[in-house]
Amino acid sequence: MKQPFMAIVLTVSGSALLAAGSAIAFDFGDVLKRTVERATQSEVQRKVDQETRKTVRCALGDTRCEKAARADAEADAADADPAAGEHADAGGDHPLIAPYRGSVRKERDVDAFNEYLRIVGRAGKAAKTERLEGKLTRLRYDNPKGRSTFEIERNYRDALTARGFRVDYECVKRTVCGTTDKPSWQSLNGINLGIAGDVRYFTGKLAYGSGAAYVSVAVNPTVTYVHVLETASMERDMVAVDADALAAGLEKDGRVRLDGIFFDSGKALLKPESNPALDQAVQLLRQQASLKLLIAGHTDDTGSHAANQKLSQQRAEAVRNALLARGIAADRLTAQGFGSGVPLADNASDAGRAQNRRVELVKQ
């Protein structure tokens, strides 16, 4: 009699437990759901409160807001234009000057705005410097083997000169340059030529974009430094040539290169950066009222002979037209293109081709 009774009791108890378990599971799921909903609402409210506090802080002048806004603006600019912003900078050489062929870039440092101590001379046992501000690019290259410091330095100089660059200080040999003086060049601006005796250095400036570029090149047997400081506005002394220098060149050789004349590659439309050089040519012609000039256009040998001949003629005429527009009489100016037929340097190198692309004034 006891066994059936126990079975009944167990059966009833098992059903109750199952029912209770279902109820507990249901209640737990409902509790969990409400907990998640409350947590979500709490997180939303927390975010709202956080943004409210941030807005109040910004309204009160919190400097963190300005920094955050600047960072957001830079990120948006980089997304819109991959070339914008330092973080979007993919690297590479400076567009103003290509490295000597065979060089290997080892360091590259670009600051959107910084100060720079340009070495412009030596006074006793100390370097003379000029403090500049602007966009600063510092590059270091390993030199190709078997090339002299003279050859490397001359290539950089010629390529820059072809763009209107003017050297305002240069030196050769460590004992003359004083690269290891105290303070050393390395501590002043990062140029570290070591203790090598065979060092070469030059620095100067040219019109670049809407402003100016100061370029410093330092070479020893193993490395080359190229530093470029770009200013935001044109300086008054940034004329690549002057009337007196043009007159002296004509007097000496009967012809003179008109530096500071710029065209886009393959085109004959004068760029605005050419205006200072054109104005100096006009000044020359006004100073010498009887002077008549042939404006000679020259190209490198890239492309066909016919295309180069046509382009050089168009560029010579563009310069003539610019001088006519400035009030020079038409019978004093003749334009002629010579294509690539009268090179000044070997067209096998970038520096040589840069020298060959030029406009000259020839005395008639």
Side-chain angles (χ1 to χ4, degrees):
M1 294 295 294
K2 292 181 179 180
Q3 292 177 350
F5 174 75
M6 288 297 295
I8 293 171
V9 171
L10 289 172
T11 302
V12 173
S13 299
S15 299
L17 288 171
L18 288 172
S22 299
I24 292 170
F26 176 78
D27 290 343
F28 178 74
D30 189 49
V31 169
L32 181 61
K33 179 180 178 182
R34 290 198 298 272
T35 300
V36 171
E37 290 175 347
R38 285 197 300 271
T40 301
Q41 293 172 353
S42 177
E43 178 64 18
V44 171
Q45 186 61 47
R46 186 183 71 82
K47 289 289 187 182
V48 171
D49 293 342
Q50 185 180 57
E51 289 301 317
T52 300
R53 289 193 296 271
K54 177 181 176 182
T55 301
V56 172
R57 287 200 311 270
C58 291
L60 294 175
D62 193 329
T63 57
R64 288 175 294 179
C65 298
E66 181 182 353
K67 293 179 180 178
R70 188 183 301 114
D72 291 342
E74 290 176 354
D76 291 342
D79 289 340
D81 180 3
E86 182 179 350
H87 297 295
D89 191 348
D93 306 307
H94 195 281
L96 179 61
I97 177 67
Y100 181 80
R101 182 171 295 182
S103 301
V104 178
R105 190 174 68 248
K106 304 299 289 186
E107 290 183 5
R108 180 181 187 276
D109 186 19
V110 179
D111 297 316
F113 188 79
N114 205 343
E115 63 178 352
Y116 181 73
L117 293 178
R118 186 173 73 112
I119 296 166
V120 293
R122 191 184 187 197
K125 291 293 184 180
K128 292 172 61 177
T129 62
E130 176 186 19
R131 184 181 178 277
L132 302 169
E133 294 181 351
K135 180 180 179 181
L136 176 60
T137 302
R138 287 181 282 200
L139 300 158
R140 180 174 67 83
Y141 300 94
D142 282 354
N143 300 334
K145 293 182 179 180
R147 303 296 182 181
S148 68
T149 58
F150 172 77
E151 180 180 358
I152 294 172
E153 183 261 358
R154 179 55 59 88
N155 271 267
Y156 279 106
R157 183 195 292 248
D158 288 347
L160 287 165
T161 300
R163 300 197 60 169
F165 180 79
R166 289 192 299 173
V167 174
D168 50 30
Y169 175 67
E170 61 183 316
C171 62
V172 178
K173 296 189 181 301
R174 175 176 56 81
T175 54
V176 177
C177 297
T179 56
T180 56
D181 287 346
K182 300 298 181 182
S184 68
W185 286 21
Q186 181 180 11
S187 64
L188 291 172
N189 60 25
I191 293 177
N192 181 16
L193 294 174
I195 59 173
D198 182 15
V199 303
R200 295 176 182 271
Y201 172 80
F202 70 86
T203 185
K205 52 196 171 185
L206 75 162
Y208 185 63
S210 59
Y214 292 80
V215 184
S216 300
V217 176
V219 187
N220 76 12
T222 57
V223 299
T224 295
Y225 289 85
V226 177
H227 290 183
V228 182
L229 189 288
E230 301 169 46
T231 63
S233 59
M234 185 70 70
E235 299 179 12
R236 286 180 296 178
D237 65 344
M238 288 310 302
V239 178
V241 295
D242 60 61
D244 291 339
L246 293 175
L250 288 173
E251 182 66 26
K252 178 177 180 290
D253 300 318
R255 63 194 306 127
V256 66
R257 180 180 182 130
L258 183 59
D259 288 325
I261 298 296
F262 301 104
F263 300 94
D264 284 327
S265 179
K267 297 181 180 179
L269 180 64
L270 281 164
K271 301 182 74 171
E273 298 94 302
S274 305
N275 288 332
L278 293 169
D279 291 341
Q280 291 301 307
V282 169
Q283 185 173 331
L284 166 70
L285 287 159
R286 288 175 177 166
Q287 289 173 351
Q288 300 186 30
S290 62
L291 179 64
K292 294 185 178 182
L293 294 174
L294 167 69
I295 301 169
H298 300 270
T299 69
D300 59 31
D301 67 350
T302 304
S304 69
H305 172 77
N308 287 330
Q309 181 63 42
K310 180 180 179 181
L311 179 61
S312 66
Q313 182 67 38
Q314 291 174 336
R315 287 181 170 180
E317 290 174 355
V319 172
R320 180 177 185 269
N321 290 335
L323 298 180
L324 294 178
R326 286 165 166 78
I328 303 301
D331 62 355
R332 299 180 65 190
L333 301 172
T334 306
Q336 184 175 347
F338 292 87
S340 59
V342 190
L344 293 178
D346 189 348
N347 278 298
S349 68
D350 291 338
R353 288 191 292 272
Q355 288 189 71
N356 293 333
R357 296 188 297 268
R358 66 196 189 279
V359 173
E360 293 180 333
L361 304 180
V362 183
K363 192 173 182 178
Q364 298 292 283

